Amino acid sequence: MSRFWSPIVERLVPYTPGEQPKDQEFIKLNTNENPYGPSPKALEAIAAATDETLRLYPDPSAFDLRQALASAHDLTPQHVFAGNGSDDVLAHAFNAFFTGKQPILFADVTYSFYRTYCQLYGLRHERVPLNDTFQYRVSDYQRPCGGIVIANPNAPTGIDLGLAKIERIIQQNPDVVVIVDEAYVDFGAISAARLVHRYENLVVVQTFSKSRSLAGLRVGFAIAQPHLIEGLQRVKDSFNSYPLGRLSLEGALAAWSDHRWFEQTRRKVIADREATAERLVAQGFHVLPSSANFLFVSHERINAEDLQDKLRAHGILTRHFKQPRIENWLRISIGTSEACNKLTDATKAIVG
């Protein structure tokens, strides 16, 4: 606390990121990082861009990257916005499209940064309860509001809402922007990007951090109709005209073009997710159906915080959220096959 803080800073409850240990003794299954490295083509492109041109500013419009993203979705570059990680893209979207006159709606169990954005921008919000199995009820979003934010697959549950239900929510709310946050979509869900040409109020946000293993570069993007993209550009250019550096732009463009590496690595993650879930269920865990690169689990014989501590003693980091309804659940990222085997060996030793 400081007497120089603004009232907004005093009220903020910042998002808490997962632990990033300085030593390498732990198996990190706590931050949903991809266990496989970036595309070799991306690394080559980054290395090639490390030259004297770093003295020059990068392209503020990220045109080449936007063009590649647009082409993959049968859209134009005017349908794409690129930013410094999907968190920045989401922050700009909250700033650009939500007024606070009506509450923003998002699930009670979802990405906690949404609440932080609302606090930062002074936006009213309501957390809509998921049902007893952590599923969305579409009818709960058919009411007056100032906008809607959906994480699909949801975090930290990993559950896929399904494209048909997302479309119904968009249709029910034609006068407000619906943001679909798809950080984990490549691990088992269908992107709502295919709906963009039909709905003027839809913004789809994705990231290069998860399925393309570029969390360290911080590259995210949004897909929407041009009038919404223009709004994001106006906010961005009033905040930071150059959010993406030259290395990030080159690395992301090369990673996007390497379809073979993308398919190989994401399929490995999906296969290990399913195998790990099966082993945990056999050990008595309740495991939610996941379409992400993590599992959300609980066990009736040990509470989640104790389980996290015991796994840490085995050299494995996981993520526990001290929040209502999920205080007895643990989120476990999918690592390499070897890491997943060590995890289930440890859980077996812990729960018996």
Side-chain angles (χ1 to χ4, degrees):
M1 178 82 64
S2 167
R3 65 188 178 92
F4 297 107
W5 285 4
S6 72
I8 291 177
V9 173
E10 289 183 11
R11 292 193 299 267
L12 281 178
V13 180
Y15 173 79
T16 303
E19 179 185 359
Q20 294 284 4
K22 294 184 188 249
D23 57 64
Q24 299 299 314
E25 66 180 79
F26 291 103
I27 296 173
K28 283 186 79 277
L29 303 182
N30 65 324
T31 52
N32 298 341
E33 293 155 330
N34 197 313
Y36 303 104
S39 155
K41 292 183 179 179
L43 296 178
E44 291 172 5
I46 293 167
T50 307
D51 59 21
E52 62 87 23
T53 60
L54 288 179
R55 66 186 176 80
L56 303 173
Y57 284 108
D59 175 9
S61 73
F63 181 80
D64 290 344
L65 178 60
R66 288 170 46 234
Q67 187 173 49
L69 295 169
S71 177
H73 292 91
D74 197 25
L75 297 168
T76 70
Q78 287 68 42
H79 288 83
V80 182
F81 173 86
N84 187 245
S86 61
D87 286 337
D88 260 22
V89 177
L90 287 165
H92 289 335
F94 273 64
N95 207 2
F97 307 127
F98 299 153
T99 66
K101 295 178 181 178
Q102 292 277 4
I104 310 306
L105 305 182
F106 46 84
D108 64 333
V109 178
T110 194
Y111 189 29
S112 58
F113 231 138
Y114 305 152
R115 183 185 179 192
T116 301
Y117 295 141
C118 287
Q119 291 178 319
L120 181 62
Y121 297 128
L123 301 171
R124 295 166 55 199
H125 67 278
E126 290 182 13
R127 287 178 282 182
V128 182
L130 300 173
N131 69 15
D132 291 341
T133 57
F134 298 113
Q135 303 275 352
Y136 279 84
R137 287 181 290 245
V138 173
S139 59
D140 289 347
Y141 293 84
Q142 192 170 9
R143 56 187 165 114
C145 66
I148 295 171
V149 187
I150 300 167
N152 193 60
N154 197 14
T157 67
I159 295 175
D160 173 22
L161 173 58
L163 193 61
K165 290 182 179 179
I166 289 173
E167 186 166 16
R168 282 169 55 196
I169 291 174
I170 297 168
Q171 292 170 339
Q172 290 170 180
N173 296 275
D175 297 323
V176 300
V177 167
V178 177
I179 298 173
V180 183
D181 180 1
E182 296 185 341
Y184 304 100
V185 71
D186 293 323
F187 298 106
I190 298 174
S191 175
R194 64 184 62 190
L195 303 177
V196 161
H197 69 285
R198 289 157 55 184
Y199 297 102
E200 66 174 358
N201 62 324
L202 171 63
V203 177
V204 178
V205 178
Q206 291 189 18
T207 179
F208 279 76
S209 295
K210 311 300 182 183
S211 58
R212 287 180 170 79
S213 304
L214 291 176
L217 281 192
R218 314 306 303 131
V219 181
F221 62 96
I223 299 174
Q225 291 192 10
H227 67 100
L228 295 178
I229 296 300
E230 182 182 357
L232 290 172
Q233 293 281 11
R234 288 172 67 88
V235 171
K236 187 265 289 184
D237 288 337
S238 301
F239 178 75
N240 178 6
S241 296
Y242 302 96
L244 290 172
R246 286 177 169 270
L247 304 186
S248 294
L249 289 170
E250 293 298 331
L253 184 60
W256 187 261
S257 69
D258 195 347
H259 304 294
R260 182 176 179 180
W261 183 263
F262 166 74
E263 285 295 335
Q264 285 179 345
T265 54
R266 81 177 188 97
R267 288 182 185 277
K268 286 181 182 178
V269 170
I270 292 170
D272 283 324
R273 180 190 70 206
E274 297 306 304
T276 303
E278 185 177 340
R279 291 195 294 270
L280 290 172
V281 168
Q283 295 174 11
F285 282 88
H286 184 194
V287 182
L288 294 186
S290 177
S291 295
N293 67 339
F294 57 83
L295 296 171
F296 207 45
V297 309
S298 67
H299 200 287
E300 63 180 13
R301 295 204 303 273
I302 184 170
N303 69 59
E305 192 166 13
D306 285 347
L307 178 59
Q308 181 188 43
D309 290 342
K310 290 181 183 298
L311 284 171
R312 185 184 179 90
H314 279 78
I316 300 171
L317 298 181
T318 55
R319 190 80 190 270
H320 177 247
F321 300 89
K322 293 183 180 180
Q323 298 175 13
R325 298 189 67 191
I326 60 171
E327 63 273 4
N328 202 34
W329 291 80
L330 200 64
R331 193 193 70 191
I332 303 173
S333 305
I334 299 302
T336 61
S337 298
E338 180 183 7
C340 289
N341 289 335
K342 289 183 178 179
L343 166 77
T344 52
D345 287 345
T347 54
K348 185 176 181 179
I350 293 167
V351 302

